[in-house]
Amino acid sequence: MTAEVLKVTIQRDADRVETFDVPAYENQTVLDVVSWVQQNADPTLSYRFACRVGMCGSCAMMVNGVPRWTCRTHISKVVDGNAVMIGPLRNLPVIKDLAVDMDPFFDKWVAAEGVHHGALTRDDEIAPVHETSATRVEANAGIECINCSVCYAACDTVASNPDYLGPAALQRAWTLLNDAKDEGRVAILDAVSGSGGCHNCHSMGSCTMYCPNELNPMSAIAGLKRETAKNFFKRGR
Amino acid sequence: MLSLRLYMFQRLSALLTAPFVVGHLAVMIYAIQGGLSAAEILERTQGSVLWFLFYGIFVVAVSIHGAIGLRAIALEWGGLKGAALEGFMWLVGLGLLALGARAVWAVTFSQGVGV
């Protein structure tokens, strides 16, 4: 990077942006830039972060129009000349500045039955997990999701159909469906077959394209479509 | 707003439609060799159970498939919701069915060109 000053434009409101001059450093993430603005230029800037190492899923924002985990995105990777545009995550209500209300996102996890369905008690043996079984391989594929909502913000189907559960919730449902420790099969298949369920997905693939952990929600959703279709022939619904 | 049932109807009707489209195109290419006339078409289709079933099932499958597909577009691009959305789907489906069925009926049971 050759520029000494970055022109950082931040979306402050639906129709208001502000541009800040931020000193450029050799090693600098998008989150560092936002933090510099808040600490040195405008203390009223609201944004959200916690771990700074790509584990907590708190700091996702739109960077030059695409969703990214800002703590693990080097500014040199995204600057256009010396300019960058930072906004709140798409598809979620904005609380203030760069902080969005994540409630709809997490409510949909629950609506997709993305919760543990246990059948055992503390007196039972722990259910054996076979690391190499086909279902465990499927479950492992989606287990590193950090709930950052990047896929949800990237999804055009969520944008045009607010009832759609979205890629993260559906991938969670698929993971649990394949988990030997989870007993929620019927509940999960019912939850993902409703009017906002997996069948709304057009397989456009933005979720898989932008997932910072390189997971594949699109293939998880395809798995749900397969399972629900098989079930349709078996149960007639 | 696509439930499992609509999804299955759309996939199964697509499964049916695909071979019919291929058959329809093949017959078109075959039939226009040496010119095309209404009389020639009617000669093939009039009173034919086979062509009645071919185009009859084709029309039903297309009506279902098209109605559900346009419903998704009306929802996501047109912003239609609730009863208006379901009404739109049924209107498209029944409309396509009426137009198609009328044509299939005519080429099977009409008595000749211009009748």
Side-chain angles (χ1 to χ4, degrees):
Chain A
M1 194 154 40
T2 50
E4 291 187 355
V5 173
L6 297 167
K7 293 279 180 198
V8 179
T9 305
I10 294 179
Q11 190 92 39
R12 299 300 298 265
D13 222 326
D15 47 11
R16 187 167 67 93
V17 297
E18 258 184 276
T19 301
F20 300 91
D21 288 340
V22 178
Y25 299 104
E26 196 62 33
N27 266 315
Q28 198 172 24
T29 65
V30 174
L31 182 62
D32 290 336
V33 167
V34 174
S35 294
W36 190 95
V37 171
Q38 197 271 333
Q39 286 162 13
N40 299 282
D42 183 354
T44 71
L45 178 68
S46 299
Y47 65 112
R48 196 184 279 130
F49 74 96
C51 77
R52 298 178 297 163
V53 291
M55 290 176 70
C56 74
S58 305
C59 69
M61 299 168 200
M62 301 301 285
V63 180
N64 286 343
V66 302
R68 291 185 180 278
W69 53 354
T70 56
C71 72
R72 296 290 301 274
T73 304
H74 204 282
I75 196 79
S76 65
K77 191 175 158 189
V78 293
V79 280
D80 181 10
N82 69 334
V84 65
M85 170 86 191
I86 301 168
L89 270 184
R90 181 176 174 237
N91 292 343
L92 288 164
V94 177
I95 298 172
K96 180 173 173 285
D97 299 332
L98 301 172
V100 293
D101 180 2
M102 301 280 283
D103 274 359
F105 176 74
F106 289 115
D107 287 346
K108 286 178 180 180
W109 274 64
V110 178
E113 289 291 333
V115 295
H116 179 60
H117 311 84
L120 304 180
T121 69
R122 65 181 62 222
D123 302 317
D124 294 304
E125 289 287 308
I126 295 171
V129 173
H130 301 289
E131 271 303 310
T132 50
S133 72
T135 50
R136 191 61 225 171
V137 170
E138 283 291 340
N140 280 347
I143 213 157
E144 295 294 343
C145 174
I146 58 170
N147 322 351
C148 65
S149 198
V150 160
C151 60
Y152 190 82
C155 180
D156 286 344
T157 308
V158 171
S160 48
N161 179 1
D163 292 334
Y164 176 46
L165 294 169
L170 291 170
Q171 174 170 259
R172 191 56 174 178
W174 176 242
T175 301
L176 290 172
L177 194 69
N178 284 292
D179 191 331
K181 304 187 295 303
D182 195 276
E183 303 287 341
R185 184 175 178 82
V186 174
I188 291 170
L189 289 180
D190 272 351
V192 302
S193 297
S195 65
C198 63
H199 307 98
N200 290 277
C201 168
H202 299 300
S203 303
M204 289 186 282
S206 298
C207 50
T208 300
M209 173 100 163
Y210 291 105
C211 174
N213 270 339
E214 298 182 345
L215 307 183
N216 193 346
M218 183 173 65
S219 115
I221 294 168
L224 286 175
K225 288 177 182 169
R226 264 197 318 276
E227 279 306 311
T228 50
K230 278 189 208 158
N231 220 39
F232 180 84
F233 290 119
K234 269 192 239 158
R235 295 198 302 168
R237 68 188 170 105
Chain B
M1 292 262 282
L2 201 56
S3 64
L4 173 61
R5 187 172 304 176
L6 286 179
Y7 173 85
M8 292 308 293
F9 271 121
Q10 198 184 23
R11 296 303 146 119
L12 292 174
S13 61
L15 213 62
L16 263 179
T17 304
F20 282 123
V21 169
V22 173
H24 177 63
L25 291 176
V27 171
M28 273 170 63
I29 292 167
Y30 166 78
I32 58 164
Q33 308 296 321
L36 183 68
S37 70
E40 186 197 330
I41 295 172
L42 289 176
E43 193 184 322
R44 187 163 53 243
T45 58
Q46 268 172 356
S48 164
V49 176
L50 193 73
W51 286 115
F52 178 77
L53 288 177
F54 183 97
Y55 280 109
I57 298 170
F58 194 178
V59 161
V60 172
V62 165
S63 303
I64 294 171
H65 189 77
I68 298 172
L70 288 173
R71 178 187 184 277
I73 295 172
L75 165 70
E76 293 186 22
W77 285 14
L80 280 191
K81 284 187 176 66
L85 184 66
E86 305 309 326
F88 173 79
M89 177 182 76
W90 281 100
L91 191 72
V92 170
L94 293 175
L96 286 174
L97 185 66
L99 290 173
R102 184 173 166 270
V104 172
W105 192 267
V107 296
T108 310
F109 298 109
S110 68
Q111 295 306 306
V113 182
V115 176

